Amino acid sequence: MKTSFPKDKIEVVLLEGIHDNAAALFEREGFRVSRHSGAADPAELAALIASAHVIGIRSKTRLVGEALGAARRLLAVGCFCIGTNQVDLVSAAGAGVPVFNAPFSNTRSVAELTVAEVVMLHRRAFERSSQMHAGRWVKSASGAHEVRGRTLGIVGYGHIGAQVSVLAESMGLRVLFYDVIPKLPLGNARQTGSLDELLRESDVVTLHVPATDGTSGLIGAAEIENMKPGGHLINNARGSVVDLAALADALRRGRLGGAAIDVFPEEPSSREAAFRGPLVGLENVILTPHIAGSTQEAQASIAEEVGNKLLRFVNAGATTGAVNVPEVEPPPQRGMVAPGTDERPHRILHFHRNVPGVLSKINNAVSDLGVNVASQTLRTDGEIGYAVLDVAPSDGEQLRARMDAIEGTIRTRVLW
Ligand code: NAI
C-alpha cells in the first residue's frame, strides 16, 4: 500500500519569533520544526528555506522572486500576521504555493481597546494623566461623562465593528452603525441610512473600515463639521481614512472634544525612527503606535489560525483562507479501504494554469486508467486553477505522471 509523504520528513521553518503555539501544533503532527527569532536577510533566507516544505513568517521577511525560487520543496507559506504584502503572491501562486494569513485573529483585541478609549475619552483620563506627569493636580469633573446613555457611532460593521457594538451595549451605550452594505444589527444597534446621519447623532464615532479607494479621506473637514460639537473620534482602522490636519484643527478649536488614533498615513518603520504629525502635543488625543490588534492573545490565536490552515493544506489539500490561489474545501477524508482491494483511495491535488480544457484532460487521464472518482472539486480564480480528486482504486504514481503531463500543470501532489 502506498503511503503519503512521511510526516517526520516534512520540514517547517518558522521565522520572526512566531508564537509557540504554532510550533506545538506542527510538532504534535510529527513534522520537523526549526525556529528562528528574527527576520532573515535574503542570503540567510535562501539557505533556511532551501529544504523547507512550509515556511512561517511575519511582516519583516520578504518572500519574493529569488527567495521563493530557492525554496524548491515549498508547499505553502504562512504569514502569521494580517498583511501579505511581504510575499510575492503571484509568483507563489504560479509555483502552486498557497499563502495563508490570519485576518481576524486580533478582532477582539481591537474591539477591547476601542471600548476602553470610548471611556477614557469621555473621562478625559489621558489629559488628566499628562497633567499629573507635568506636576499638575487638576481634580475636576468638568467635561467628564459616564458612557451610559451616550451614543456610539460605528463606521464599518464588520468583524471588529460588530464586536465593538456588543461590548458597548453591555456598558449601556446606544449604538448606531453605518456600513455600505445592509448588515444584521446585533442587540439593539441600528443601521443609519447615511454616514452624515451617524455623524450628527453620535457622541463618539469609531472607524472600522478597510483601506480602500472608497474609504480614503472618508473623514475630512466636512464630515468633522457634521459631528456633534465636543464629540470624539476614534480611528483604529487605517491611517488613510482620516484627514489628520483637519482633525488637529477641529481639536485645537474645541470643535471636537478628543480623539484616539492608532493608525497614521505614514508610520515610522522602526523604533528608532521619530514619530511626527499634526496631532503630536495635543493633550486631548490618545496616540498609540498601531497596537490596537497587538496582544499576546492575538499572537496566540494567529499562531493557531495560520498553523491550522497550513496543516489542513499539507494534510488534506484544503486551500480555504488562502489569499493567492482558488479556495477549495475538499470533503472529509475517507480513511476507508477501496472496495475489493487493500488500497486506500488517493487524493490528488492539481494546480494548473487557468486555460480551457484542463478539466476534460484530467477526466480523460482518470478514465484512461480506469480510476473510480469518489469526489472531484475544481475552482479557478484568475490565472490559477486548483482541482482536488479523491480516486479509488488507483496507482497514485501512475495517475500523478498522467496529471503532470497535462499542459498547463503547475504542480501535482498525491496524498496517501
Ligand atoms: P471587515 O472586513 O470584517 O469589516 C469592514 C467593514 O467595513 C465591512 O462590513 C464593510 O462592508 C465596511 N465598509 C467598507 N467600506 C465602507 C465604507 N466606505 N463605509 C462604511 N463601511 C464600509 O474588517 P474588520 O476585521 O472588522 O477590520 C476593519 C479594519 O480594521 C481592517 O480593514 C483593518 O484595516 C483594521 N485593523 C486595524 C488593526 C490595528 O491594529 N489598528 C488590527 C486589525 C484590523
Side-chain angles (χ1 to χ4, degrees), residues 5 7-15 18-19 21-36 48-57 73-78 80 303 306-307 310-311 314-315:
F5 195 67
K7 288 193 172 183
D8 63 355
K9 294 235 160 34
I10 294 184
E11 304 231 1
V12 180
V13 175
L14 299 178
L15 300 175
I18 287 166
H19 193 279
N21 286 12
L25 206 66
F26 294 123
E27 279 162 358
R28 265 203 307 279
E29 199 62 24
F31 296 176
R32 275 201 258 163
V33 179
S34 75
R35 305 179 67 183
H36 306 268
L48 275 175
I49 66 172
S51 59
H53 295 96
V54 172
I55 179 156
I57 60 170
R73 298 185 184 164
L74 197 60
L75 296 177
V77 173
F80 286 76
V306 180
L310 289 166
L311 272 185
V314 173
N315 288 342

Side-chain angles (χ1 to χ4, degrees), residues 69-408:
R72 290 182 208 296
R73 298 185 184 164
L74 197 60
L75 296 177
V77 173
C79 295
F80 286 76
C81 52
I82 315 295
T84 51
N85 305 345
Q86 68 281 39
V87 180
D88 179 347
L89 297 177
V90 174
S91 297
V97 173
V99 177
F100 298 95
N101 67 341
F104 304 122
S105 289
N106 57 8
T107 298
R108 182 69 177 206
S109 302
V110 180
E112 285 190 10
L113 184 73
T114 302
V115 172
E117 288 171 339
V118 169
V119 176
M120 291 295 131
L121 288 169
H122 274 85
R123 300 300 292 271
R124 303 178 68 177
F126 276 64
E127 285 172 78
R128 299 286 172 260
S129 173
S130 316
Q131 288 158 354
M132 284 186 73
H133 281 292
R136 287 154 59 207
W137 179 262
V138 185
K139 180 169 164 47
S140 162
S142 169
H145 296 278
E146 289 184 355
V147 296
R148 180 172 47 166
R150 295 245 147 188
T151 301
L152 170 67
I154 300 172
V155 182
Y157 205 65
H159 289 80
I160 297 172
Q163 287 270 329
V164 170
S165 174
V166 171
L167 295 176
E169 278 205 335
S170 73
M171 295 181 68
L173 283 133
R174 172 177 166 250
V175 175
L176 300 177
F177 67 89
Y178 169 70
D179 201 292
V180 278
I181 48 178
K183 293 273 176 148
L184 177 72
L186 300 177
N188 299 313
R190 178 170 72 78
Q191 183 157 14
T192 62
S194 69
L195 176 61
D196 278 351
E197 181 187 346
L198 176 136
L199 296 173
R200 275 197 308 274
E201 286 194 38
S202 302
D203 297 294
V204 49
V205 173
T206 183
L207 308 173
H208 300 290
V209 290
T212 62
D213 289 348
T215 63
S216 174
L218 188 69
I219 305 293
E223 289 71 29
I224 290 171
E225 280 314 305
N226 282 337
M227 288 176 67
K228 275 193 182 177
H232 303 288
L233 180 69
I234 300 175
N235 185 11
N236 290 331
R238 280 294 176 262
S240 54
V241 182
V242 177
D243 176 345
L244 288 190
L247 175 63
D249 178 56
L251 289 162
R252 259 194 224 99
R253 289 188 285 119
R255 176 66 183 75
L256 291 190
I261 307 292
D262 185 55
V263 285
F264 304 87
E266 278 163 32
E267 300 183 355
S269 54
S270 71
R271 287 184 186 191
E272 288 68 43
F275 173 73
R276 295 191 181 84
L279 301 176
V280 171
L282 295 178
E283 262 193 345
N284 51 352
V285 181
I286 302 172
L287 290 177
T288 47
H290 204 146
I291 45 103
S294 305
T295 61
Q296 291 304 306
E297 288 73 16
Q299 289 306 316
S301 137
I302 286 170
E304 278 155 33
E305 182 177 341
V306 180
N308 276 312
K309 285 175 180 170
L310 289 166
L311 272 185
R312 297 186 67 250
F313 175 68
V314 173
N315 288 342
T319 49
T320 308
V323 298
N324 64 333
V325 297
E327 294 189 62
V328 171
E329 183 60 48
Q333 293 157 299
R334 296 181 308 158
M336 64 177 205
V337 171
T341 74
D342 65 349
E343 273 199 56
R344 296 165 69 208
H346 293 80
R347 176 162 289 178
I348 313 286
L349 315 177
H350 186 257
F351 283 102
H352 52 266
R353 306 241 157 253
N354 184 18
V355 290
V358 173
L359 184 60
S360 66
K361 286 176 188 152
I362 291 176
N363 287 337
N364 288 344
V366 164
S367 67
D368 287 355
L369 294 174
V371 166
N372 176 34
V373 178
S375 92
Q376 184 186 51
T377 316
L378 169 77
R379 290 255 182 290
T380 58
D381 186 1
E383 303 281 294
I384 305 292
Y386 180 44
V388 178
L389 287 84
D390 286 344
V391 294
S394 88
D395 177 337
E397 289 310 317
Q398 204 184 8
L399 186 54
R400 181 216 291 264
R402 284 294 299 265
M403 305 278 277
D404 273 343
I406 293 172
E407 203 184 323

